[in-house]
Amino acid sequence: MPAVFDSRCPLVFGHRGGLARGPENTLTAFARAMAFGADGFECDVRRSADGVPVVIHDPTLDRTTDATGPVRARTAAELAAVDATCRFTPALAGDEVPAPEGIPALTDALARFPAARVIVEIKDPEPGFADDVVAVLRRLDALSRVCVGSFHQQVLDRVRAAAPDVTTSASPGETRWLLVRARSRWPFAVRPRFRALQVPVSAGRLRVVSGAFVGRAHREGATVQVWTVNDPLEVRRLLALGVDGIISDRPDAALKERDAMAPPSSLSSR
């Protein structure tokens, strides 16, 4: 079990910090998730104009900030000066309207929450950007508490070459092959290069997460974290299947279901 996912009970991660309870991919959202008791958070990184890994999902600023245009057209300092909280509307009574806050650098997110387990998804497709992300993890001594994922195989290959000691998740292609092995009851042992799978319950009409899929992943030495799970009944169903983690817009609600199912001895060992 890689250190970032080592636990006697399933882990709960805030999706982009928990975007139903705070403005996504901001320090405010990450702080709220950790205050709820989440084990960590998932975040997305892109490259600024000056090559800094910054935390934002979209390639443009339009949807989540008060600015417009491409993320990579601005420096990290300029991105820190936009308002990344202005689009957030509290969904629950009692949730505070956050103060204006800029787009954080990955360095700031990791340094602010040194006890958090973090899933970092690299959004940009350029393999060289992986080196910049790995450099941040090494500088902050965060390799053991971070899992790096990407939809781009070349990016993951670069991460694995640059930092063999960091945990990586499966690419879409690697996930499809594991799904084939699970469904066909592939008899041969496989030792994949990934140690985790962050997957949706379904992709279109294709059911991804099943007991066979989770079992195959475990036999191959990988953990399974499922996104984006917000329905309490679905959280319980997935935990009963044996998944290792839940990635949720509502980490507070997912934690409630996890803690109701996990034995007290498991929770005390976290």
Side-chain angles (χ1 to χ4, degrees):
M1 180 75 71
V4 61
F5 298 126
D6 190 14
S7 174
R8 294 186 183 180
C9 68
L11 302 173
V12 172
F13 295 84
H15 178 232
R16 304 181 202 169
L19 59 83
R21 301 301 304 271
E24 65 177 78
N25 278 321
T26 63
L27 298 181
T28 294
F30 303 149
R32 288 183 180 181
M34 299 308 291
F36 291 139
D39 300 285
F41 53 84
E42 180 269 350
C43 66
D44 308 283
V45 295
R46 292 187 177 274
R47 191 175 204 163
S48 68
D50 49 346
V52 176
V54 294
V55 182
I56 185 171
H57 179 274
D58 296 2
T60 64
L61 301 166
D62 303 54
R63 182 178 64 86
T64 57
T65 80
D66 64 346
T68 60
V71 172
R72 63 171 49 218
R74 303 195 187 208
T75 66
E78 291 170 335
L79 292 169
V82 306
D83 186 354
T85 67
C86 64
R87 305 289 186 185
F88 175 72
T89 301
L92 299 179
D95 279 354
E96 295 182 4
V97 176
E101 177 189 326
I103 294 170
L106 177 61
T107 297
D108 298 331
L110 294 176
R112 180 74 66 88
F113 307 100
R117 308 171 194 238
V118 184
I119 299 169
V120 175
E121 183 181 339
I122 300 177
K123 304 299 287 187
D124 287 350
E126 296 87 353
F129 183 46
D131 295 336
D132 301 319
V133 174
V134 168
V136 170
L137 303 185
R138 288 199 185 282
R139 187 166 65 249
L140 296 179
D141 193 25
L143 289 172
S144 64
R145 65 182 180 97
V146 170
C147 174
V148 179
S150 179
F151 280 87
H152 309 290
Q153 184 68 57
Q154 288 184 319
V155 170
L156 286 173
D157 290 343
R158 187 70 166 256
V159 171
R160 292 163 183 167
D165 46 344
V166 72
T167 299
T168 58
S169 57
S171 68
E174 291 169 332
T175 300
R176 283 193 292 271
W177 276 112
L178 188 140
L179 187 58
V180 168
R181 295 194 294 275
R183 291 193 165 195
S184 64
R185 299 185 181 180
W186 187 263
F188 306 109
V190 175
R191 295 188 64 83
R193 300 179 68 194
F194 56 85
R195 298 295 306 279
L197 298 110
Q198 282 98 48
V199 291
V201 173
S202 300
R205 295 183 178 181
L206 176 64
R207 171 71 66 167
V208 177
V209 181
S210 65
F213 180 86
V214 174
R216 183 77 202 195
H218 289 170
R219 285 194 295 277
E220 295 188 4
T223 62
V224 179
Q225 296 82 38
V226 187
W227 55 264
T228 305
V229 189
N230 299 324
D231 179 71
L233 292 179
E234 185 72 340
V235 171
R236 287 189 166 234
R237 186 186 73 81
L238 290 167
L239 293 178
L241 283 179
V243 305
D244 304 285
I246 298 293
I247 304 172
S248 179
D249 296 335
R250 286 284 311 274
D252 54 319
L255 283 162
K256 181 179 179 180
E257 300 304 320
R258 190 279 308 274
D259 292 353
M261 293 185 68
S265 59
S266 295
L267 295 178
S268 63
S269 65
R270 285 166 53 200

